Amino acid sequence: DGLVLSFNDVEYGISLGMTGKFPRGSIAFKWADETEETILKEIEWSASRTGLINPVAIFESVEIEGTTVSRASIHNVSVMESLKLGKGDHITVYKANMIIPQIAENLTKSDLEKAPQNCPVCGGKTEIRESENNGQIVKTLYCTNPDCTAKHIGKFTHFVERDRMNIVGLSEATLEKLIDRGFIKEFSDIYHLSDYKDEIIQMDGQGEKSYKKLMESIEKSRNVKLENLIAALGIPNVGRDAG
């Protein structure tokens, strides 16, 4: 899907090190993306564990790069405003790196879509916050409710993921059930789920075998690398790639 250039002196290239994801000794050039025109049906607002609420474009399905796509992340309020999006707009879409659906252009620019004043999950008040990124002001939408369900479930989903505590068996759906039943309120509660063995076994999608595997995975997670534990805690501006 493109061309990669690197130094012919391998040792020198390696000595340049890496960013969080890419080697500094190489540079990639991508071929022009395939684009298709479609119609924007609506903007869906998706809340995360940090309270960030991201706009997602829902559009009439189109075939791009061999797959059918019907939605694309808009990233933040600034991008949505710059595209002047509104329901019924004619837009062009593409797949960044032939994988991630994105909006390339808005052909009609009705500018009808506005950020919601209430969180789509909990109904709490929202606010637009501004930050600077490479000299530009970026607007993002946040839920101000500290008890928002999306924040609560999201932080536990983040905690148990593979490159963090790696607790197999605690999917988002399972975590939601355990939180609703009051079994999990804090991270430490995960390590006391055996207190609710009978109730967990009776839950939909569970059973003796699933419960046993879950307990084994929880026990195994007591011994992880320090970097995994720190990443799992979800501390703002702290992570593997944070400087």
Side-chain angles (χ1 to χ4, degrees), residues 24-44:
R24 290 193 173 95
S26 301
I27 185 170
F29 295 89
K30 298 292 183 182
W31 307 140
D33 295 301
E34 176 186 330
T35 62
E36 293 291 339
E37 184 176 335
T38 183
I39 296 175
L40 181 67
K41 296 167 66 176
E42 63 175 313
I43 300 293
E44 180 182 280

Side-chain angles (χ1 to χ4, degrees), residues 100-164:
I100 305 169
Q102 304 280 296
I103 296 177
E105 185 181 5
N106 183 2
L107 303 175
T108 46
K109 299 183 178 180
S110 68
D111 200 20
L112 295 174
E113 186 66 30
K114 306 300 177 186
Q117 296 183 341
N118 298 94
C119 174
V121 176
C122 70
K125 292 294 183 181
T126 62
E127 66 177 16
I128 292 178
R129 301 176 186 173
E130 295 184 351
S131 60
E132 187 175 336
N133 184 19
N134 294 325
Q136 293 185 325
I137 299 299
V138 177
K139 297 180 182 178
T140 49
L141 187 68
Y142 282 86
C143 173
T144 60
N145 177 15
D147 298 317
C148 178
T149 304
K151 294 181 185 179
H152 205 46
I153 294 173
K155 75 174 185 178
F156 288 108
T157 302
H158 177 86
F159 183 81
V160 304
E161 286 180 346
R162 180 179 298 177
D163 59 348
R164 298 177 184 104

Side-chain angles (χ1 to χ4, degrees), residues 169-184:
L170 283 183
S171 65
E172 182 173 323
T174 300
L175 281 166
E176 188 171 353
K177 294 174 185 176
L178 295 172
I179 291 168
D180 286 345
R181 286 167 170 77
F183 299 165
I184 296 178

Side-chain angles (χ1 to χ4, degrees), residues 14-78:
I14 293 174
S15 72
L16 296 176
M18 295 185 65
T19 64
K21 296 182 180 179
F22 308 109
R24 290 193 173 95
S26 301
I27 185 170
F29 295 89
K30 298 292 183 182
W31 307 140
D33 295 301
E34 176 186 330
T35 62
E36 293 291 339
E37 184 176 335
T38 183
I39 296 175
L40 181 67
K41 296 167 66 176
E42 63 175 313
I43 300 293
E44 180 182 280
W45 294 86
S46 177
S48 73
R49 67 180 179 84
T50 62
L52 177 65
I53 305 174
N54 282 326
V56 179
I58 311 299
F59 46 83
E60 293 184 359
S61 300
V62 288
E63 291 282 334
I64 304 177
E65 307 284 1
T67 62
T68 302
V69 295
S70 60
R71 54 193 294 133
S73 172
I74 307 175
H75 302 299
N76 54 55
V77 175
S78 291

